[in-house]
Amino acid sequence: MAIKSYKDQTHMLVKNYLLAYPYLPYTSILSGILACKLVYDLTDLISSFYIKTYPSLTKIQRVDWNNRGISTTHAIFISTLSLYFVFWSDLFSDPQVSDLTVFRSSTLSTFGLGVSLGYFFSDLAMTLWQYPALGGIEYVIHHILSGIAVAYSMFTREAQLYTYMVLISEVTTPEIHLRWYLDTAGMKKSIAYLINGIVIFIGWLVARVVLFGYMFYHVYLHYDQVMKMHTFGYVLVFGVPSALGILNMMWFGKIIRGLVKTLAKMRSRTKEVDSDN
């Protein structure tokens, strides 16, 4: 009976406080921040035992290594959740729901944005603390814009669909970090490095170029609904994706140049091997 009583009290605590809407945003943000700390420590612990090159890294390289572990974990979490809400869930597509698409939300969609916001807070703090070792000004701008948009969408429950459309772009983050891991581990000349570069190119083109275009097309089709949002939300729907789109195109240019350079080096080494034979 005592165990059942504790279970009932715990259930009531979670339902009526932690996951009740007035507290949900703060619970989810705190969960995101705590998860970042946990992943950072686990990445450090696991890497110390299983990655041979990890102990030989400098202090700032180890910080960067572990911080990328946080970023990769967040990217897997939020991109999976985003793909679910945008393409599989009925939350934003069910025609029988009376609420306008731009005003639809759920406990899970709001909680996911809060966890993501906790990550953006943590990663931005880490970046500023170690600036510019972990990222330049464009990285800071990206996180500030993303954090503002996610926070607004979470607290007001407006335009969560468009927020998740943009967050799908995080699907490219693990490949970007894998490229850095391979380089740091001395595997820049490996075939894995080349394959990863090609995957980055394709993923970036789809998730950060084509999908952004689709988002603006969706806004165009539902412009009458977007007009009913608060003015600040209306500005965010157009302003943040546009600014992030510009950054994405700048980074995409670097990706193309890097891929071309890598392919040229691989072709040169192949010719040298053939000539030796």
Side-chain angles (χ1 to χ4, degrees):
M1 292 294 293
I3 295 177
K4 186 178 185 301
S5 176
Y6 284 130
K7 285 183 178 180
D8 291 340
Q9 291 179 22
T10 302
H11 177 74
M12 293 293 292
L13 174 65
V14 173
K15 181 179 179 181
N16 296 335
Y17 292 96
L18 296 183
L19 294 183
Y21 184 74
Y23 307 102
L24 179 62
Y26 308 102
T27 301
S28 57
I29 293 172
L30 181 60
S31 298
I33 294 174
L34 293 177
C36 287
K37 172 59 176 173
L38 176 62
V39 172
Y40 184 95
D41 292 340
L42 285 175
T43 303
D44 179 54
L45 179 64
I46 294 172
S47 300
S48 299
F49 281 101
Y50 297 103
I51 306 299
K52 294 181 180 179
T53 57
Y54 183 77
S56 63
L57 299 178
T58 64
K59 181 179 179 180
I60 190 61
Q61 283 180 320
R62 288 197 295 272
V63 170
D64 198 0
W65 181 289
N66 298 329
N67 200 53
R68 288 174 186 270
I70 298 174
S71 183
T72 299
T73 303
H74 165 262
I76 294 172
F77 165 76
I78 200 62
S79 59
T80 301
L81 198 60
S82 298
L83 287 168
Y84 167 72
F85 278 125
V86 173
F87 296 111
W88 288 291
S89 173
D90 293 332
L91 177 61
F92 301 111
S93 60
D94 190 349
Q96 296 182 357
V97 178
S98 58
D99 291 340
L100 298 178
T101 302
V102 295
F103 296 125
R104 295 183 189 181
S105 66
S106 68
T107 299
L108 179 59
S109 67
T110 302
F111 184 83
L113 293 178
V115 171
S116 187
L117 184 58
Y119 158 75
F120 282 120
F121 280 157
S122 301
D123 202 41
L124 180 59
M126 184 74 77
T127 301
L128 293 175
W129 177 45
Q130 298 289 346
Y131 188 84
L134 302 183
I137 187 63
E138 71 279 1
Y139 198 79
V140 174
I141 293 174
H142 173 274
H143 272 37
I144 291 176
L145 290 176
S146 299
I148 292 173
V150 171
Y152 178 86
S153 185
M154 177 191 63
F155 282 111
T156 66
R157 292 183 282 184
E158 287 186 2
Q160 289 197 1
L161 171 62
Y162 297 132
T163 304
Y164 274 112
M165 281 186 177
V166 172
L167 287 172
I168 289 177
S169 62
E170 286 294 311
V171 75
T172 62
T173 299
E175 294 82 11
I176 294 293
H177 291 329
L178 179 58
R179 180 179 183 275
W180 184 88
Y181 284 130
L182 291 172
D183 188 8
T184 304
M187 299 177 63
K188 195 170 183 177
K189 296 181 179 180
S190 66
I191 190 65
Y193 189 87
L194 174 62
I195 294 174
N196 184 65
I198 296 173
V199 172
I200 290 174
F201 171 78
I202 297 173
W204 200 280
L205 177 63
V206 174
R208 293 184 182 253
V209 178
V210 175
L211 191 60
F212 269 59
Y214 172 74
M215 193 220 75
F216 282 115
Y217 177 68
H218 194 282
V219 171
Y220 168 75
L221 293 178
H222 297 81
Y223 186 71
D224 58 325
Q225 297 187 25
V226 176
M227 286 288 292
K228 296 179 181 180
M229 294 172 55
H230 291 92
T231 302
F232 188 62
Y234 175 88
V235 172
L236 288 178
V237 165
F238 288 96
V240 172
S242 297
L244 294 179
I246 293 172
L247 288 174
N248 287 338
M249 293 304 296
M250 291 171 53
W251 287 325
F252 191 47
K254 293 181 179 180
I255 290 171
I256 293 175
R257 290 192 294 271
L259 181 60
V260 170
K261 187 177 180 180
T262 300
L263 288 172
K265 288 182 178 179
M266 294 287 289
R267 189 179 299 111
S268 177
R269 285 197 296 268
T270 302
K271 289 181 178 180
E272 289 178 1
V273 173
D274 292 340
S275 60
D276 291 339
N277 293 334

